[in-house]
Structures are given as C-alpha cells and as structure tokens.
CSV table of all heavy atoms in Angstrom, one decimal:
chain,number,residue,atom,x,y,z
G,1,VAL,N,111.5,105.6,108.6
G,1,VAL,CA,110.3,106.2,108.3
G,1,VAL,C,109.7,105.5,107.0
G,1,VAL,O,108.5,105.3,106.9
G,1,VAL,CB,110.5,107.7,108.0
G,1,VAL,CG1,109.2,108.3,107.5
G,1,VAL,CG2,110.9,108.4,109.3
G,2,GLU,N,110.6,105.2,106.1
G,2,GLU,CA,110.1,104.5,104.8
G,2,GLU,C,109.5,103.2,105.2
G,2,GLU,O,108.5,102.8,104.6
G,2,GLU,CB,111.2,104.4,103.9
G,2,GLU,CG,111.6,105.7,103.2
G,2,GLU,CD,112.8,105.6,102.3
G,2,GLU,OE1,113.6,104.6,102.5
G,2,GLU,OE2,113.0,106.4,101.3
G,3,GLY,N,110.1,102.5,106.1
G,3,GLY,CA,109.6,101.2,106.5
G,3,GLY,C,108.2,101.3,107.2
G,3,GLY,O,107.4,100.4,107.0
G,4,LEU,N,108.0,102.3,108.0
G,4,LEU,CA,106.8,102.5,108.7
G,4,LEU,C,105.7,102.8,107.7
G,4,LEU,O,104.5,102.4,107.8
G,4,LEU,CB,106.9,103.7,109.7
G,4,LEU,CG,107.6,103.5,111.0
G,4,LEU,CD1,107.6,104.7,111.8
G,4,LEU,CD2,107.0,102.3,111.8
G,5,SER,N,106.0,103.6,106.7
G,5,SER,CA,105.0,104.2,105.8
G,5,SER,C,104.9,103.3,104.5
G,5,SER,O,104.0,103.6,103.6
G,5,SER,CB,105.2,105.6,105.4
G,5,SER,OG,106.5,105.7,104.8
G,6,ASP,N,105.9,102.4,104.3
G,6,ASP,CA,105.9,101.6,103.1
G,6,ASP,C,106.0,102.5,101.8
G,6,ASP,O,105.3,102.3,100.8
G,6,ASP,CB,104.7,100.6,103.0
G,6,ASP,CG,104.9,99.5,101.9
G,6,ASP,OD1,106.1,99.2,101.6
G,6,ASP,OD2,103.9,99.1,101.4
G,7,THR,N,106.8,103.5,102.0
G,7,THR,CA,106.9,104.6,100.9
G,7,THR,C,108.4,104.9,100.8
G,7,THR,O,109.2,104.9,101.8
G,7,THR,CB,106.2,105.8,101.3
G,7,THR,OG1,104.8,105.5,101.6
G,7,THR,CG2,106.3,106.9,100.2
G,8,THR,N,108.8,105.1,99.6
G,8,THR,CA,110.2,105.6,99.3
G,8,THR,C,110.1,107.2,99.3
G,8,THR,O,109.4,107.7,98.5
G,8,THR,CB,110.8,105.1,98.0
G,8,THR,OG1,110.9,103.7,98.1
G,8,THR,CG2,112.2,105.7,97.7
G,9,LEU,N,110.9,107.8,100.2
G,9,LEU,CA,110.9,109.2,100.3
G,9,LEU,C,111.8,109.9,99.3
G,9,LEU,O,113.0,109.5,99.3
G,9,LEU,CB,111.3,109.7,101.7
G,9,LEU,CG,110.4,109.1,102.8
G,9,LEU,CD1,111.0,109.5,104.2
G,9,LEU,CD2,109.0,109.6,102.7
G,10,PRO,N,111.3,110.7,98.4
G,10,PRO,CA,112.2,111.2,97.3
G,10,PRO,C,113.3,112.1,97.8
G,10,PRO,O,114.3,112.3,97.2
G,10,PRO,CB,111.2,112.1,96.5
G,10,PRO,CG,110.1,112.4,97.4
G,10,PRO,CD,110.0,111.3,98.3
G,11,TRP,N,113.2,112.7,99.0
G,11,TRP,CA,114.3,113.6,99.5
G,11,TRP,C,115.2,112.9,100.5
G,11,TRP,O,116.1,113.5,101.1
G,11,TRP,CB,113.6,114.8,100.3
G,11,TRP,CG,112.5,114.4,101.2
G,11,TRP,CD1,111.1,114.4,100.9
G,11,TRP,CD2,112.6,113.8,102.5
G,11,TRP,NE1,110.4,113.9,101.9
G,11,TRP,CE2,111.2,113.6,102.9
G,11,TRP,CE3,113.6,113.6,103.4
G,11,TRP,CZ2,111.0,113.1,104.2
G,11,TRP,CZ3,113.3,113.1,104.6
G,11,TRP,CH2,112.0,112.8,105.0
G,12,GLY,N,115.1,111.6,100.6
G,12,GLY,CA,116.0,110.9,101.6
G,12,GLY,C,117.1,110.1,101.0
G,12,GLY,O,117.5,109.1,101.5
G,13,ARG,N,117.7,110.7,99.9
G,13,ARG,CA,118.8,110.0,99.2
G,13,ARG,C,120.1,110.4,99.8
G,13,ARG,O,121.1,109.6,99.8
G,13,ARG,CB,118.8,110.3,97.7
G,13,ARG,CG,117.5,109.9,97.0
G,13,ARG,CD,117.2,108.4,97.1
G,13,ARG,NE,116.2,108.3,98.2
G,13,ARG,CZ,115.9,107.1,98.8
G,13,ARG,NH1,116.6,106.1,98.5
G,13,ARG,NH2,115.0,107.1,99.7
G,14,THR,N,120.3,111.7,100.2
G,14,THR,CA,121.6,112.1,100.8
G,14,THR,C,121.3,112.7,102.2
G,14,THR,O,120.3,113.1,102.5
G,14,THR,CB,122.2,113.3,99.9
G,14,THR,OG1,121.4,114.5,100.0
G,14,THR,CG2,122.3,112.8,98.4
G,15,GLU,N,122.4,112.7,102.9
G,15,GLU,CA,122.3,113.2,104.3
G,15,GLU,C,121.9,114.7,104.3
G,15,GLU,O,121.0,115.0,105.1
G,15,GLU,CB,123.7,113.1,105.0
G,15,GLU,CG,124.1,111.6,105.2
G,15,GLU,CD,125.5,111.5,105.6
G,15,GLU,OE1,126.3,112.5,105.4
G,15,GLU,OE2,126.0,110.4,106.1
G,16,GLN,N,122.4,115.5,103.4
G,16,GLN,CA,122.1,116.9,103.4
G,16,GLN,C,120.7,117.2,103.0
G,16,GLN,O,120.0,118.0,103.6
G,16,GLN,CB,123.0,117.7,102.5
G,16,GLN,CG,124.5,117.7,102.9
G,16,GLN,CD,124.6,118.2,104.3
G,16,GLN,OE1,124.1,119.2,104.8
G,16,GLN,NE2,125.3,117.4,105.2
G,17,ASP,N,120.1,116.4,102.0
G,17,ASP,CA,118.7,116.6,101.7
G,17,ASP,C,117.8,116.2,102.9
G,17,ASP,O,116.8,116.8,103.1
G,17,ASP,CB,118.3,115.6,100.5
G,17,ASP,CG,118.9,116.2,99.2
G,17,ASP,OD1,119.3,117.4,99.1
G,17,ASP,OD2,118.9,115.4,98.2
G,18,ALA,N,118.2,115.1,103.5
G,18,ALA,CA,117.4,114.6,104.7
G,18,ALA,C,117.4,115.7,105.8
G,18,ALA,O,116.4,116.0,106.4
G,18,ALA,CB,117.9,113.3,105.1
G,19,LEU,N,118.6,116.2,106.1
G,19,LEU,CA,118.7,117.3,107.1
G,19,LEU,C,118.0,118.5,106.8
G,19,LEU,O,117.3,119.1,107.6
G,19,LEU,CB,120.2,117.6,107.3
G,19,LEU,CG,121.0,116.6,108.2
G,19,LEU,CD1,122.4,116.9,108.1
G,19,LEU,CD2,120.5,116.6,109.6
G,20,ASP,N,118.0,118.9,105.4
G,20,ASP,CA,117.2,120.1,105.0
G,20,ASP,C,115.7,119.8,105.3
G,20,ASP,O,115.0,120.7,105.8
G,20,ASP,CB,117.4,120.4,103.6
G,20,ASP,CG,118.8,120.9,103.2
G,20,ASP,OD1,119.4,121.4,104.2
G,20,ASP,OD2,119.2,120.9,102.1
G,21,ARG,N,115.2,118.7,105.0
G,21,ARG,CA,113.8,118.3,105.2
G,21,ARG,C,113.5,118.3,106.7
G,21,ARG,O,112.4,118.9,107.1
G,21,ARG,CB,113.5,117.0,104.6
G,21,ARG,CG,112.1,116.5,104.8
G,21,ARG,CD,111.1,117.3,104.0
G,21,ARG,NE,109.8,116.7,104.2
G,21,ARG,CZ,108.8,116.7,103.3
G,21,ARG,NH1,109.0,117.4,102.2
G,21,ARG,NH2,107.7,116.2,103.5
G,22,TRP,N,114.3,117.7,107.5
G,22,TRP,CA,114.1,117.5,108.9
G,22,TRP,C,114.0,118.8,109.6
G,22,TRP,O,113.3,119.1,110.6
G,22,TRP,CB,115.1,116.6,109.5
G,22,TRP,CG,114.6,116.0,110.8
G,22,TRP,CD1,113.4,115.9,111.3
G,22,TRP,CD2,115.4,115.3,111.8
G,22,TRP,NE1,113.4,115.3,112.5
G,22,TRP,CE2,114.6,114.9,112.8
G,22,TRP,CE3,116.8,115.1,111.8
G,22,TRP,CZ2,115.1,114.3,113.9
G,22,TRP,CZ3,117.3,114.4,112.9
G,22,TRP,CH2,116.5,114.0,114.0
G,23,THR,N,114.9,119.8,109.2
G,23,THR,CA,115.0,121.1,109.9
G,23,THR,C,114.1,122.1,109.2
G,23,THR,O,114.0,123.2,109.7
G,23,THR,CB,116.4,121.6,109.9
G,23,THR,OG1,116.9,121.6,108.6
G,23,THR,CG2,117.3,120.7,110.8
G,24,GLY,N,113.5,121.8,108.1
G,24,GLY,CA,112.6,122.7,107.4
G,24,GLY,C,111.1,122.3,107.5
G,24,GLY,O,110.5,122.7,108.4
G,25,GLU,N,110.7,121.5,106.7
G,25,GLU,CA,109.2,121.1,106.7
G,25,GLU,C,109.0,119.9,107.7
G,25,GLU,O,107.9,119.7,108.0
G,25,GLU,CB,108.8,120.7,105.3
G,25,GLU,CG,108.8,121.8,104.3
G,25,GLU,CD,108.4,121.3,102.9
G,25,GLU,OE1,107.5,120.5,102.8
G,25,GLU,OE2,109.0,121.8,101.9
G,26,GLY,N,110.0,119.2,108.1
G,26,GLY,CA,109.9,118.1,109.0
G,26,GLY,C,109.6,116.8,108.4
G,26,GLY,O,109.2,116.7,107.2
G,27,PHE,N,110.0,115.8,109.2
G,27,PHE,CA,109.7,114.4,108.8
G,27,PHE,C,108.2,114.1,108.9
G,27,PHE,O,107.5,114.8,109.7
G,27,PHE,CB,110.5,113.5,109.7
G,27,PHE,CG,111.8,113.2,109.3
G,27,PHE,CD1,112.6,114.0,108.6
G,27,PHE,CD2,112.4,111.9,109.6
G,27,PHE,CE1,113.9,113.7,108.2
G,27,PHE,CE2,113.7,111.6,109.2
G,27,PHE,CZ,114.5,112.6,108.5
G,28,PRO,N,107.7,113.1,108.1
G,28,PRO,CA,106.3,112.8,108.3
G,28,PRO,C,105.9,112.3,109.7
G,28,PRO,O,104.8,112.4,110.1
G,28,PRO,CB,106.1,111.7,107.2
G,28,PRO,CG,107.2,111.8,106.3
G,28,PRO,CD,108.4,112.4,107.1
G,29,VAL,N,106.9,111.8,110.4
G,29,VAL,CA,106.6,111.2,111.7
G,29,VAL,C,107.1,112.1,112.8
G,29,VAL,O,106.4,112.3,113.8
G,29,VAL,CB,107.2,109.8,111.8
G,29,VAL,CG1,107.0,109.2,113.2
G,29,VAL,CG2,106.7,108.9,110.8
G,30,PHE,N,108.3,112.6,112.7
G,30,PHE,CA,108.9,113.2,113.9
G,30,PHE,C,108.8,114.7,114.0
G,30,PHE,O,109.2,115.3,115.0
G,30,PHE,CB,110.4,112.8,113.9
G,30,PHE,CG,110.7,111.3,113.9
G,30,PHE,CD1,111.3,110.7,112.9
G,30,PHE,CD2,110.2,110.6,115.0
G,30,PHE,CE1,111.5,109.3,112.9
G,30,PHE,CE2,110.4,109.2,115.0
G,30,PHE,CZ,111.0,108.6,113.9
G,31,GLY,N,108.4,115.3,113.0
G,31,GLY,CA,108.3,116.8,113.0
G,31,GLY,C,109.6,117.5,112.8
G,31,GLY,O,110.6,116.9,112.4
G,32,VAL,N,109.6,118.9,112.9
G,32,VAL,CA,110.8,119.7,112.6
G,32,VAL,C,111.7,119.5,113.8
G,32,VAL,O,111.4,119.8,114.9
G,32,VAL,CB,110.3,121.1,112.4
G,32,VAL,CG1,111.6,122.0,112.2
G,32,VAL,CG2,109.4,121.3,111.2
G,33,ALA,N,113.0,119.2,113.4
G,33,ALA,CA,114.0,119.1,114.4
G,33,ALA,C,114.7,120.4,114.6
G,33,ALA,O,114.9,121.2,113.7
G,33,ALA,CB,115.1,118.0,114.0
G,34,THR,N,115.2,120.7,115.8
G,34,THR,CA,116.0,121.7,116.1
G,34,THR,C,117.5,121.2,116.2
G,34,THR,O,117.8,120.5,117.1
G,34,THR,CB,115.7,122.4,117.5
G,34,THR,OG1,114.3,122.9,117.4
G,34,THR,CG2,116.6,123.6,117.8
G,35,ILE,N,118.2,121.5,115.1
G,35,ILE,CA,119.6,121.0,115.1
G,35,ILE,C,120.4,122.3,115.0
G,35,ILE,O,120.5,123.0,114.0
G,35,ILE,CB,119.8,120.1,113.8
G,35,ILE,CG1,118.9,118.9,113.9
G,35,ILE,CG2,121.3,119.7,113.7
G,35,ILE,CD1,119.0,118.0,112.7
G,36,GLY,N,121.0,122.6,116.2
G,36,GLY,CA,121.8,123.8,116.2
G,36,GLY,C,122.4,124.0,117.6
G,36,GLY,O,122.9,123.1,118.2
G,37,THR,N,122.3,125.3,118.1
G,37,THR,CA,123.0,125.6,119.4
G,37,THR,C,122.0,125.7,120.5
G,37,THR,O,120.8,125.7,120.2
G,37,THR,CB,123.7,127.0,119.2
G,37,THR,OG1,122.6,128.0,119.0
G,37,THR,CG2,124.7,127.0,118.0
G,38,PRO,N,122.5,125.9,121.7
G,38,PRO,CA,121.5,126.1,122.8
G,38,PRO,C,120.6,127.3,122.6
G,38,PRO,O,119.5,127.2,123.0
G,38,PRO,CB,122.5,126.3,124.1
G,38,PRO,CG,123.6,125.4,123.7
G,38,PRO,CD,123.9,125.6,122.3
G,39,ALA,N,121.1,128.3,122.0
G,39,ALA,CA,120.3,129.5,121.7
G,39,ALA,C,119.2,129.1,120.7
G,39,ALA,O,118.0,129.6,120.9
G,39,ALA,CB,121.2,130.6,121.1
G,40,ASP,N,119.4,128.2,119.8
G,40,ASP,CA,118.4,127.8,118.9
G,40,ASP,C,117.3,127.0,119.7
G,40,ASP,O,116.1,127.1,119.4
G,40,ASP,CB,119.0,126.9,117.8
G,40,ASP,CG,119.9,127.6,116.8
G,40,ASP,OD1,119.6,128.8,116.6
G,40,ASP,OD2,120.9,127.1,116.5
G,41,ALA,N,117.8,126.2,120.6
G,41,ALA,CA,116.8,125.4,121.5
G,41,ALA,C,116.0,126.3,122.3
G,41,ALA,O,114.8,126.1,122.4
G,41,ALA,CB,117.6,124.4,122.3
G,42,ILE,N,116.5,127.4,122.8
G,42,ILE,CA,115.8,128.3,123.7
G,42,ILE,C,114.8,129.0,122.8
G,42,ILE,O,113.6,129.1,123.2
G,42,ILE,CB,116.8,129.3,124.3
G,42,ILE,CG1,117.6,128.6,125.4
G,42,ILE,CG2,116.0,130.5,124.9
G,42,ILE,CD1,118.8,129.4,126.0
C-alpha cells in the first residue's frame, strides 16, 4: 500500500497495529477486513 501511494503509513510498523487498522478503520485501498470466525463472516 505504501508503494502504491508513495506514502509511509504511521500505523504500519507492527503486525498488531496493522491488524488493528485493517479490522477497524480499514486500509486506504482494501477496506475493513473480516478476520475472525465463520459467524463473523455471516
């Protein structure tokens, strides 16, 4: 994502920070991910 946008993302330093962002407010490109169980997907 940083390469696409030519930007350094301040929250992309650790795996946990990146996962929090991806499952919370979402990535600038991919949106909010559902990372969980089948019940979460449903």
Side-chain angles (χ1 to χ4, degrees):
V1 173
E2 288 179 334
L4 286 178
S5 61
D6 195 26
T7 305
T8 299
L9 301 174
W11 44 264
R13 302 304 98 199
T14 70
E15 293 167 346
Q16 293 309 310
D17 284 347
L19 284 168
D20 287 344
R21 175 70 176 210
W22 200 17
T23 56
E25 297 177 37
F27 272 31
V29 176
F30 303 116
V32 177
T34 299
I35 298 176
T37 65
D40 295 323
I42 289 168

